[in-house]
Amino acid sequence: NPANKIPAADKPKAKEGKREYLTVTELKQLISTECKHPQLKAAYLFCSLTGLRYSDAKKIKWCDIRTDNNGETELQFRMQKTDGLMYLQISKEALKWLPVRNGARDEDLVYKLPRNDHANDILRQWVKDAEIKKQVTFHCSRHTAATLNLSLGVPLEVVSKLLGHTKISTTQIYAKIVNEARREAVDKQNGIFD
């Protein structure tokens, strides 16, 4: 490949894209807004707390949800993107967004979700109905989980593991977003006593 002869410093670099995420206030707006696809709403909120990708949320089965030795709920699954085995602890807040099992078999899917492009169409309308002015896709739930955990003080290394990142540098992007949000919050104080 002739591109291999070009020094790395001379190769064009991909621009860092904007990673849209939702705040706690915006998540509360979504919770209180009706969605025409209740399973999609539940899956999106579950993923906003766990960091699951759409592809993984769509394929998790009831047998993937287990109770660990301490009586806590965890999700054990193979990630679609990396094919790596993940053990993901689920918070009590995230558990609220699992559908009622109602006698479902172990091999049944937890969420019955449409194709990703159709899911994003439904999601856009739900976000609009909630009066949130952001361009949101289902993948935004993963960014939301990362920034939420970092803003709650969860160490970067732990967030990296929760998201299943193989490189910490991938997770560091979210730390930058959280720092920018903190700066914006502090800047809101400017001029309040003028």
Side-chain angles (χ1 to χ4, degrees):
N1 182 350
N4 290 341
K5 296 177 182 176
I6 301 171
D10 293 337
K11 290 181 183 177
K13 306 284 187 263
K15 290 185 179 178
E16 191 176 298
K18 184 175 186 218
R19 297 188 190 283
E20 199 72 79
Y21 66 95
L22 298 175
T23 64
V24 171
T25 301
E26 290 166 333
L27 285 173
K28 287 179 181 179
Q29 284 174 249
L30 284 180
I31 289 168
S32 64
T33 303
E34 190 175 326
C35 177
K36 78 175 195 175
H37 196 299
Q39 284 263 321
L40 181 71
K41 176 178 182 173
Y44 186 84
L45 293 167
F46 182 79
C47 291
S48 292
L49 296 165
T50 61
L52 274 185
R53 291 179 181 90
Y54 182 82
S55 58
D56 294 325
K58 189 171 175 147
K59 69 178 188 122
I60 58 171
K61 298 176 181 176
W62 286 106
C63 61
D64 298 330
I65 300 170
R66 304 161 187 233
T67 303
D68 67 14
N69 294 336
N70 298 322
E72 299 292 332
T73 305
E74 71 177 7
L75 181 60
Q76 181 182 341
F77 67 102
R78 192 161 293 282
M79 285 191 303
Q80 176 109 5
K81 184 175 180 179
T82 64
D83 200 36
L85 191 60
M86 274 289 284
Y87 297 90
L88 183 64
Q89 288 75 26
I90 304 174
S91 70
K92 288 177 180 37
E93 200 60 44
L95 281 174
K96 294 176 186 177
W97 299 105
L98 282 176
V100 177
R101 188 164 177 173
N102 279 341
R105 297 171 300 142
D106 281 350
E107 292 305 311
D108 289 341
L109 295 172
V110 173
Y111 296 106
K112 287 147 187 80
L113 299 173
R115 286 185 344 267
N116 195 10
D117 58 341
H118 184 56
N120 282 325
D121 290 339
I122 296 167
L123 180 61
R124 275 188 279 279
Q125 184 59 51
W126 177 39
V127 168
K128 183 179 176 185
D129 292 346
E131 299 179 359
I132 297 170
K133 309 280 189 252
K134 291 183 176 177
Q135 295 295 322
V136 176
T137 64
F138 202 96
H139 197 71
C140 174
S141 65
R142 190 164 163 82
H143 302 316
T144 299
T147 55
L148 176 66
N149 279 308
L150 287 169
S151 65
L152 291 172
V154 177
L156 188 67
E157 297 79 9
V158 174
V159 174
S160 183
K161 294 291 182 198
L162 289 172
L163 294 174
H165 288 161
T166 53
K167 296 184 291 185
I168 194 97
S169 60
T170 307
T171 317
Q172 286 171 329
I173 294 164
Y174 297 107
K176 183 174 148 188
I177 292 169
V178 170
N179 287 337
E180 287 171 5
R182 287 181 183 156
R183 179 78 259 159
E184 288 173 19
V186 169
D187 285 347
K188 289 182 180 186
Q189 295 177 8
N190 295 340
I192 62 171
F193 299 121
D194 292 345

